[in-house]
Amino acid sequence: MKIENTKAQMRKGVLEYCILSILKDQDAYVAEILGTLKDAKMLVVEGTIYPLLTRLKNAGLLSYRWEESTSGPPRKYYGLTQTGRLFLNELTTTWDNLQKDVSLVTRQKNTNNE
């Protein structure tokens, strides 16, 4: 089993949560979302993010608007809907609990091995 595959699956599993979190405070276009993910070492390519954004939009969690750009074609800005905000709040609670639970398990495991 290759560690890189497992690491990629772990990143993929939290990508939706990360994207919704990025859009929590302000709308953003794809390049901004990708830049934020890249800065956080979450390696994502455009071919991955577009289908995910479409799925989130179709689920009613995101909306989008077109905005003119001074440096090229119009940009599609994504933002959270009210449903998206509620969904993000639920994910945040789930994430916080999961982090706590995993931490308990991994600390217990490490303590037992010492």
Side-chain angles (χ1 to χ4, degrees), residues 19-20 29-30 34 40 45 54 59 61 77 87 91 99 105:
I19 289 171
L20 294 174
Y29 63 99
V30 172
L34 286 170
V45 294
T54 298
L61 304 179
Y77 280 78
F87 191 82
L91 283 181
Q99 278 186 300
V105 169

Side-chain angles (χ1 to χ4, degrees), residues 86-99:
L86 295 171
F87 191 82
L88 176 59
N89 287 340
E90 286 293 320
L91 283 181
T92 298
T93 299
T94 300
W95 177 253
D96 291 345
N97 290 335
L98 183 61
Q99 278 186 300

Side-chain angles (χ1 to χ4, degrees), residues 42-56:
M42 297 278 297
L43 305 175
V44 180
V45 294
E46 285 185 33
T48 301
I49 200 163
Y50 281 110
L52 180 53
L53 289 170
T54 298
R55 189 166 50 84
L56 293 171

Side-chain angles (χ1 to χ4, degrees), residues 10-22:
M10 290 174 80
R11 280 192 297 271
K12 197 180 288 187
V14 298
L15 187 56
E16 185 175 296
Y17 178 52
C18 290
I19 289 171
L20 294 174
S21 295
I22 289 168

